[in-house]
Amino acid sequence: MNYEMNTKIATVMAVHRERYELYTENETFYGRLKTVNFYNTKELVEFPTVGDEVRVIYNELGDSQIMEILPRKSVFMRLNATQGLPDQAVAANFDYVFITMSLNRDFHIAKLERYLTVSWQSGGTPVIILTKADLCDDREFYLSQVRDVAFGVDAYCVSSVTGEGFTELEDYFQKGKTVVLLGSSGVGKSSFVNTLLGRTEMLTGGIREADAQGRHTTTYKQCFYVPEKIQLLNGEIITGGGRIIDTPGMRKLIISEMEEGKEKSFEDIESLISGCRFSDCQHRTEPGCAIRAALESGDLAEKHWKTYLNLQKEEAYAKARRQVLERRMEKAQRDMSRRQRR
Ligand SMILES: Nc1nc2c(ncn2[C@@H]2O[C@H](COP(=O)(O)OP(=O)(O)OP(=O)(O)O)[C@@H](O)[C@H]2O)c(=O)[nH]1
Ligand SMILES: [Mg+2]
Ligand SMILES: [Zn+2]
């Protein structure tokens, strides 16, 4: 058989355990990873995720074989809960990151800052989507807080119940563009997707009232094609197109090599630091510390500074984790070659 002839490039639409839902040329089909390319390798190999472009050997009769992931233009990583295993890619190849927070109990500025950092670092452009506008009668109050931390990032208020706000999002849904949804469980990501698709594709869930925590209704990630015409609940029709990726609410996103991302959300702090008298200033008791001065005068909000410090700690943690993983990999390789020599 001529393998070249059966090679296709496909998009990963969903991941169901070891089976991948793939799409190309108007056809949905399934694939599995080619074992020697992904498991029995010397290096840690990442697994494909939703949004990835993969090269497959197409099989008409059953599951196709996924040979490799093509280079990604953007990606979100998530810390692997199992120590010693590589971090996992959550979604790839998106253009816009819709950071979703609800206009009621999920609204946390520190969380937003964190999402912004992760978004800039992912390679996508962040857009802030404040959900459940129908439950809120003081949007300006929230929007002004958003503007304080999100320099130059667009923010919108939407409601999946009334359809309000969706008209303003038309520009993001275009052929060839992909949007990924990011945000805590229960903020209404799947409801947002259903509104765009005009049908219930993703199950949505209630919130446990006692603690306002979402229930993690969505347990997998999935990519959808957005219709070219979207009819909103109020009957209005807007133009769509492109793709949208729904994800489960995420607790831990990895912050790694985040230098670039950090500068955008914390430009103000970076520029203050450059004004400290000592280049190794710890911003505690040193004379001529620009951070202390700004905190005292109120020019720098205590909360914003705390978020920055926390992110730095996380970054150090992520780096330490990577080093441990690398050392473990090296050891595994040494053990393997020792066994082979025997
Ligand atoms: N009032 C109101 N409720 C909403 C809106 N959007 C979603 N909800 C409700 O909020 C709850 C959670 O919505 P989901 O869409 O499942 O939230 P999610 O972000 O997908 O949650 P996970 O899948 O757990 O990450 C459901 O009960 C929805 O009906 C909205 O715009 N207004
Ligand atoms: Mg969901
Ligand atoms: Zn200082």
Side-chain angles (χ1 to χ4, degrees):
M1 207 196 320
N2 182 349
Y3 284 112
E4 280 306 306
M5 242 173 63
N6 289 315
T7 295
K8 285 184 197 259
I9 303 296
T11 305
V12 176
M13 300 300 281
V15 183
H16 304 292
R17 290 173 190 272
E18 71 280 12
R19 227 167 156 228
Y20 292 76
E21 187 187 317
L22 304 168
Y23 181 89
T24 193
E25 298 157 14
N26 292 316
E27 186 197 355
T28 296
F29 60 104
Y30 290 84
R32 286 171 194 270
L33 302 178
K34 184 170 168 69
T35 312
V36 295
N37 291 10
F38 287 91
Y39 294 100
N40 306 341
T41 58
K42 283 205 176 141
E43 320 111 68
L44 279 181
V45 176
E46 272 186 49
F47 294 158
T49 192
V50 170
D52 264 325
E53 300 287 309
V54 290
R55 196 166 62 80
V56 300
I57 294 184
Y58 184 69
N59 176 1
E60 272 180 28
L61 304 170
D63 285 349
S64 296
Q65 258 192 327
I66 300 176
M67 309 302 286
E68 64 169 342
I69 309 173
L70 302 191
R72 294 161 170 161
K73 66 177 177 187
S74 56
V75 66
F76 272 127
M77 299 300 288
R78 179 189 206 176
L79 283 178
N80 195 315
T82 315
Q83 278 244 335
L85 289 180
D87 296 319
Q88 300 160 315
V90 176
N93 296 328
F94 42 83
D95 298 277
Y96 302 109
V97 182
F98 278 17
I99 301 173
T100 52
M101 289 205 311
S102 72
L103 277 161
N104 55 354
R105 290 173 290 185
D106 177 63
F107 192 88
H108 296 295
I109 281 297
K111 199 190 264 180
L112 175 62
E113 287 174 311
R114 194 181 140 81
Y115 280 138
L116 279 169
T117 303
V118 176
S119 303
W120 286 120
Q121 193 248 318
S122 72
T125 302
V127 176
I128 298 163
I129 305 290
L130 301 176
T131 59
K132 309 194 185 182
D134 56 295
L135 298 181
C136 170
D137 40 36
D138 195 3
R139 289 162 214 185
E140 245 339 282
F141 168 76
Y142 292 102
L143 279 171
S144 70
Q145 290 183 61
V146 165
R147 288 191 204 104
D148 280 348
V149 297
F151 318 100
V153 178
D154 288 329
Y156 304 90
C157 296
V158 303
S159 165
S160 295
V161 168
T162 63
E164 168 193 344
F166 280 86
T167 325
E168 292 170 83
L169 303 177
E170 273 183 328
D171 285 353
Y172 299 106
F173 297 104
Q174 287 179 34
K175 199 169 187 305
K177 297 282 181 200
T178 303
V179 167
V180 63
L181 291 171
L182 195 64
S184 307
S185 184
V187 299
K189 297 180 296 297
S190 299
S191 306
F192 185 94
V193 168
N194 291 341
T195 302
L196 289 174
L197 301 183
R199 57 181 194 268
T200 307
E201 274 288 348
M202 293 300 288
L203 280 183
T204 60
I207 302 271
R208 282 197 307 262
E209 288 303 324
D211 50 8
Q213 294 291 305
R215 250 194 233 143
H216 292 280
T217 304
T218 303
T219 51
Y220 57 96
K221 44 218 173 181
Q222 172 113 41
C223 183
F224 296 100
Y225 280 87
V226 178
E228 270 152 37
K229 293 255 172 289
I230 303 163
Q231 175 151 28
L232 300 177
L233 287 169
N234 57 15
E236 208 179 326
I237 291 178
I238 63 171
T239 61
R243 307 185 297 195
I244 187 158
I245 301 175
D246 191 6
T247 64
M250 263 169 275
R251 262 162 293 183
K252 272 235 172 298
L253 275 168
I254 191 170
I255 315 269
S256 58
E257 290 121 26
M258 52 168 271
E259 287 311 316
E260 197 195 331
K262 193 170 63 188
E263 276 158 25
K264 294 233 168 79
S265 301
F266 296 98
E267 262 166 2
D268 49 344
I269 288 178
E270 305 283 344
S271 84
L272 278 173
I273 288 176
S274 64
C276 290
R277 186 180 306 162
F278 301 107
S279 59
D280 61 347
C281 186
Q282 298 294 303
H283 323 298
R284 291 202 187 102
T285 53
E286 292 86 347
C289 173
I291 292 288
R292 281 283 135 220
L295 284 170
E296 270 154 40
S297 70
D299 287 345
L300 174 61
E302 190 80 36
K303 244 172 111 183
H304 192 48
W305 174 239
K306 287 259 164 64
T307 309
Y308 175 84
L309 289 179
N310 283 338
L311 276 170
Q312 294 229 297
K313 268 186 237 147
E314 260 173 66
E315 190 186 353
Y317 170 72
K319 198 168 154 197
R321 225 186 118 98
R322 269 202 310 280
Q323 282 167 353
V324 169
L325 281 175
E326 276 161 22
R327 274 200 296 275
R328 222 172 270 169
M329 271 307 300
E330 280 163 20
K331 184 176 179 303
Q333 277 168 18
R334 276 199 307 275
D335 291 352
M336 202 193 292
S337 55
R338 206 174 300 139
R339 270 199 301 277
Q340 282 164 354
R341 276 202 302 273
R342 272 195 208 131

